[in-house]
Amino acid sequence: RTNEPNIRRTYLKLASSSSAYLPELTSLYPNAHWAFVYRNAEHALAKSTSGARGRACRKFRRNPSSSLKMEAMSRNVDLETLSNHEVCAMHLSNLLDVALREQQEDAIHHHGGEGGEGEGEEQQQRGMLLSYDDDIVSYDANVF
């Protein structure tokens, strides 16, 4: 929050592991804009399972997000029986799934005819999925 009159938007910046909580955050900040930057799956998994980051994946086995718990239940998988590599892969996949669902919900609820900020104006997409490998500079400058 700010008292600056020229600041018009709120942006959510999250650590990738916090993206599992994107639905809760967008419900708290319904007009906030966000971007989820994702990598090639093989590169993301290799990076996430090496060194100190590999220890972080073990944390998700013991303390999974609610969305990771739901995904494990829907797949009839016990996280305790998976290898660190498998838990990490499932966690990373779940983060992308959550961001994709949130982006789709945004498109349905905010661009499907319901009122909102700037009535009478075309509303902008609040969430974006961006590939780490894309040339972000080439995106439309008015996207956010």
Side-chain angles (χ1 to χ4, degrees), residues 95-132:
L95 294 178
L96 183 57
D97 289 346
V98 168
L100 181 59
R101 280 192 305 269
E102 191 62 24
Q103 183 189 41
Q104 290 169 340
E105 286 290 317
D106 178 52
I108 291 167
H109 290 102
H110 293 92
H111 304 286
E114 292 186 19
E117 73 181 53
E119 292 220 17
E121 298 174 18
E122 186 175 325
Q123 297 178 19
Q124 292 180 317
Q125 183 83 20
R126 292 176 310 137
M128 289 180 57
L129 300 177
L130 303 170
S131 171
Y132 186 82

Side-chain angles (χ1 to χ4, degrees), residues 126-140:
R126 292 176 310 137
M128 289 180 57
L129 300 177
L130 303 170
S131 171
Y132 186 82
D133 298 323
D134 283 350
D135 178 10
I136 294 174
V137 174
S138 69
Y139 281 90
D140 182 0

Side-chain angles (χ1 to χ4, degrees), residues 25-39:
L25 289 167
T26 56
S27 71
L28 290 170
Y29 304 99
N31 294 322
H33 292 248
W34 56 271
F36 181 87
V37 180
Y38 63 92
R39 290 179 179 253

Side-chain angles (χ1 to χ4, degrees), residues 1-127:
R1 295 190 180 229
T2 181
N3 292 327
E4 291 289 326
N6 59 341
I7 296 179
R8 299 181 349 203
R9 292 196 173 128
T10 302
Y11 297 90
L12 298 176
K13 167 141 179 16
L14 309 171
S16 64
S17 61
S18 298
S19 298
Y21 303 101
L22 192 55
E24 290 86 350
L25 289 167
T26 56
S27 71
L28 290 170
Y29 304 99
N31 294 322
H33 292 248
W34 56 271
F36 181 87
V37 180
Y38 63 92
R39 290 179 179 253
N40 169 290
E42 292 170 2
H43 295 151
L45 189 56
K47 191 169 184 174
S48 295
T49 54
S50 65
R53 292 179 187 202
R55 288 190 294 274
C57 281
R58 287 192 289 274
K59 176 182 90 169
F60 301 115
R61 174 184 294 139
R62 291 187 311 271
N63 189 21
S65 66
S66 58
S67 62
L68 183 56
K69 281 182 196 176
M70 287 176 28
E71 183 172 335
M73 286 176 34
S74 74
R75 294 175 183 259
N76 199 25
V77 170
D78 180 2
L79 293 173
E80 292 293 327
T81 64
L82 300 179
S83 70
N84 287 339
H85 194 84
E86 291 169 326
V87 170
C88 199
M90 193 168 181
H91 165 70
L92 294 172
S93 171
N94 181 254
L95 294 178
L96 183 57
D97 289 346
V98 168
L100 181 59
R101 280 192 305 269
E102 191 62 24
Q103 183 189 41
Q104 290 169 340
E105 286 290 317
D106 178 52
I108 291 167
H109 290 102
H110 293 92
H111 304 286
E114 292 186 19
E117 73 181 53
E119 292 220 17
E121 298 174 18
E122 186 175 325
Q123 297 178 19
Q124 292 180 317
Q125 183 83 20
R126 292 176 310 137

